Amino acid sequence: MAGDREPARVAQTPVVFAELAAMRGWIGAQRAQGAAIGFVPTMGALHAGHVSLVHLLRAQGCSQVVASIFVNPTQFAAHEDLSTYPRPFEADLAALAAAGCAACFAPAPAELYPSGEATRVQVGGPSLGLESAPRPHFFEGVATIVAKLLIGLAPDKAAFGEKDYQQLLVVRRLVADLMIPVEILAGPTFREADGLAMSSRNVYLSAEERQIAPHLHRVLQETAAAIASGGPIDAAIAAAERELLAAGFAGVDYVAVRRASDLSVFTENFADAPARVLGAVRLRSTRLIDNVGAEPMG
Ligand code: AMP
C-alpha cells in the first residue's frame, strides 16, 4: 500500500532490570537452560568501544550477555561530573539491542548502595600512582562497584576495555585477590578515525579541543616507537611531554612507561619486557586518558 513501509527488522530490546534480585533470577534461569553468561559493566552513554565488549563476549562463547548501566557515585570526587554525566538511556538500549545484548541491569544508586552500607574495597598494586594521583579515591570506588556487580550477578565472563588500562589491571588483581570465580576478558581500544580513543566524555570537547585531542594518541604512539627501538625511557617521556604541550594541551598529568603485566616501573632506563605507554592530559575542562602497547625489539 502507498505510504506503507516494510517494517524494519529491529533487534530485540534487552530486558531491563532495576533490582538485583530480579536480575539474578533472570541470569539463574538462563544458566539453568545451559547459557554461558557474559557481563559488560558500563556507565552508559554507549559507543562502539562498549559495544565491542558485547561482541567480544559473544565471540568467546557467552550465549547471553548482560550489560549494566550505572553511573557509580563512589568513583566520582565532589568536584567531578557525577550529576552531568551523559545518560541517554533509550539510545543505549538501542545500541545494546543492535549488539545482541539480552539484558540490561540499570539500578538506582540505592539498590547498590542501600542505606547503612559501609564497605569499600581497598586497593593497592596496579592502582598506585597514575590515575590515583589526581583521583585518590577513584580505584576504591571502581573496585567496590565491580566487586558488587561481579559477586552479585556471578557471570561466567566479564569484559573490560584496554582504554582504561590501569582499571583493567586493578580489576584483574581484585578478581584474583577476592577469589571471584569469573574470567576477565580485555578488549582493544576503539578509536575515532583520527585516533582519538572513544569515550563517553568526548561530548564535552569543544570544536577546537576536538582538533587537539587526537594528538594524545599520536604522541603516545611515537613514544612507544622510541621505547620499542631501545631508546631511553626518560628521554622519550620528556619528548612526549614537550610534544603534548606544543600540540595545545593545557597540561600533562603524566606520560609513563610501565610493564604491561602489572604497571611496575622499569628499573633500567629502557624497556626489557612488553610495556604500556600511558598518558593523561588536560584541556580547558576535560581530562583525556589513553595508552598504547610497546614491544621492545629482540
Ligand atoms: P565506562 O562506561 O567508561 O565506565 O566504560 C565501560 C567499559 O568500556 C570499560 O571496561 C571501559 O574500559 C570500556 N571502554 C570505554 N571506552 C572504550 C573504548 N574506546 N574502546 C574499548 N573499550 C572501551
Side-chain angles (χ1 to χ4, degrees), residues 215 218-219 222 237-249 252:
H215 288 287
R218 173 182 65 76
V219 171
E222 289 169 6
I237 289 176
E241 289 175 349
R242 277 196 308 273
E243 283 261 340
L244 289 166
L245 293 175
F249 291 105
V252 179

Side-chain angles (χ1 to χ4, degrees), residues 192 196-206 210 213 286 288:
E192 306 291 352
L196 174 64
M198 290 184 183
S199 164
S200 306
R201 289 189 169 103
N202 287 350
V203 295
Y204 297 154
L205 298 172
S206 69
R210 180 63 188 80
T286 309
L288 301 177

Side-chain angles (χ1 to χ4, degrees), residues 19-232:
E19 289 170 7
L20 181 60
M23 184 72 253
R24 285 163 76 112
W26 184 90
I27 289 173
Q30 299 299 319
R31 192 171 272 130
Q33 292 172 32
I37 309 296
F39 176 50
V40 183
T42 84
M43 298 207 301
L46 302 181
H47 51 64
H50 296 112
V51 167
S52 74
L53 299 176
V54 177
H55 291 303
L56 174 66
L57 286 162
R58 288 170 63 86
Q60 292 296 315
C62 294
S63 49
Q64 300 287 12
V65 177
V66 178
S68 62
I69 296 180
F70 182 66
V71 184
N72 175 37
T74 60
Q75 69 192 66
F76 286 76
H79 65 277
E80 292 180 341
D81 56 346
L82 174 63
S83 63
T84 55
Y85 196 85
R87 290 169 169 85
F89 189 61
E90 294 306 320
D92 285 349
L93 285 186
L96 293 176
C101 187
C104 175
F105 182 45
E111 180 70 7
L112 296 186
Y113 295 99
S115 162
E117 61 87 24
T119 302
R120 295 289 178 272
V121 176
Q122 191 185 333
V123 287
S127 77
L128 302 175
L130 304 174
E131 285 303 289
S132 285
R135 309 177 80 189
H137 304 295
F138 176 67
F139 285 121
E140 179 182 285
V142 168
T144 299
I145 193 62
V146 170
K148 283 172 183 273
L149 290 167
L150 293 180
I151 294 167
L153 304 188
D156 297 289
K157 303 183 186 199
F160 293 81
E162 288 184 346
K163 157 73 169 50
D164 302 287
Y165 195 82
Q166 190 177 10
Q167 171 175 283
L168 169 66
L169 294 200
V170 168
V171 168
R172 286 197 189 284
R173 192 70 258 163
L174 165 84
V175 163
D177 290 348
L178 297 188
M179 301 169 190
I180 303 174
V182 62
E183 184 183 342
I184 301 300
L185 304 182
T189 302
F190 271 58
R191 301 181 179 282
E192 306 291 352
D194 59 12
L196 174 64
M198 290 184 183
S199 164
S200 306
R201 289 189 169 103
N202 287 350
V203 295
Y204 297 154
L205 298 172
S206 69
E208 187 193 345
E209 291 171 337
R210 180 63 188 80
Q211 298 296 311
I212 299 169
H215 288 287
L216 174 58
H217 180 234
R218 173 182 65 76
V219 171
L220 293 182
Q221 276 187 308
E222 289 169 6
T223 310
I227 298 294
S229 61

